[in-house]
């Protein structure tokens, strides 16, 4: 038997080292993969919350524009404006992950003002359930209510007329604006 192949030979030493390295990478993967999933989970909840908030802000701003322009444009005043806001809120999926959905749209929408007032305001409020693991942390930090839900509230307030219109000496007559631009009265 040739003793050069066994013992302190190069071939047998590299096979053992390779086997040891495989074991090390398996252990590293067993530790790294759960950490990566946990980080993704931690990034998912704020992403969902911000998505909800952005859609709600857009819907509230659209509601303010509808209230400020005319009650008659949307059909039935506040009801038509609220329906338009709910259509915009339809961009948020009707799933527990995005908001508490109890068989119907559970958004609370508050409308204040009209074309005749100085300011209009739209408030939208809804709740969403935190993801597992994160719900414990949110509860410990006091971010959840008695039901264990996070509250997402958006409030947009706009003036019905720009300052230059309200404070202008030209009045509210658009023909006066056109004449002032041309230099005639």
């Amino acid at each position: 038997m040739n003793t050069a192949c066994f013992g302190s030979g190069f071939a047998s030493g590299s096979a053992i080292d390779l086997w040891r390295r495989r074991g090390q990478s398996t252990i590293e993967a067993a530790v790294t993969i759960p950490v990566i999933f946990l980080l993704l989970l931690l990034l998912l909840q704020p992403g969902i919350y911000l998505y909800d908030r952005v859609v709600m802000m857009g819907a509230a701003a659209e509601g303010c524009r509808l209230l400020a322009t005319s009650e008659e444009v949307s059909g039935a005043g506040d009801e038509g404006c609220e329906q338009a806001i709910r259509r915009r809120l339809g961009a948020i999926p009707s799933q527990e992950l995005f908001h508490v959905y109890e068989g119907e749209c559970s958004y609370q929408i508050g409308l204040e003002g009209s074309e005749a007032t100085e300011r209009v305001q739209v408030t939208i409020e809804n709740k969403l359930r935190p993801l597992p693991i994160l719900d414990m942390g949110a509860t410990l930090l006091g971010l959840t209510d008695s039901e264990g839900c996070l509250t997402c509230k958006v409030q947009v307030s706009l003036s019905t007329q720009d300052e230059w219109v309200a404070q202008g000496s030209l009045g509210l007559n658009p023909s006066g604006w056109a004449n002032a631009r041309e230099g005639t009265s």
Side-chain angles (χ1 to χ4, degrees):
M1 192 184 263
N2 188 356
T3 59
C5 291
F6 300 103
S8 65
F10 181 76
S12 65
S14 66
I16 291 171
D17 289 341
L18 182 61
W19 180 78
R20 287 182 182 161
R21 287 187 189 138
R22 282 189 201 154
Q24 178 184 355
S25 62
T26 303
I27 291 172
E28 288 174 356
V31 171
T32 306
I33 290 173
V35 170
I36 289 172
F37 283 130
L38 182 63
L39 289 174
L40 288 174
L41 180 68
L42 290 174
L43 291 175
L44 185 63
Q45 185 72 55
I48 291 170
Y49 185 81
L50 290 174
Y51 175 76
D52 285 359
R53 190 165 172 79
V54 166
V55 171
M56 290 168 65
M57 285 288 286
E62 180 70 23
C64 281
R65 285 189 291 274
L66 285 173
L67 284 174
T69 53
S70 177
E71 294 179 0
E72 308 306 321
V73 171
S74 58
D78 287 352
E79 295 84 24
C81 183
E82 187 172 333
Q83 288 175 358
I85 290 171
R86 289 191 187 278
R87 275 194 304 273
R88 293 284 301 251
L89 292 173
I92 299 174
S94 301
Q95 298 175 353
E96 289 276 329
L97 185 62
F98 287 92
H99 69 95
V100 176
Y101 188 77
E102 300 162 347
E104 60 183 42
C105 190
S106 59
Y107 292 102
Q108 297 173 358
I109 300 172
L111 305 172
E112 296 177 24
S114 68
E115 180 180 60
T117 61
E118 195 173 306
R119 295 194 70 75
V120 292
Q121 180 174 314
V122 175
T123 305
I124 303 173
E125 184 175 343
N126 201 18
K127 297 180 180 183
L128 62 107
R129 295 198 199 289
L131 294 172
I133 299 174
L134 297 178
D135 60 350
M136 291 182 292
T139 303
L140 289 173
L141 291 173
L143 300 174
T144 59
D145 59 5
S146 61
E147 299 170 355
C149 297
L150 297 169
T151 301
C152 186
K153 183 176 181 179
V154 170
Q155 185 174 5
V156 176
S157 178
L158 295 175
S159 175
T160 54
Q161 295 179 352
D162 287 330
E163 286 183 30
W164 66 272
V165 174
Q167 295 176 357
S169 61
L170 302 175
L172 298 176
N173 183 2
S175 64
W177 303 338
N179 291 338
R181 181 178 173 118
E182 295 172 0
T184 60
S185 304

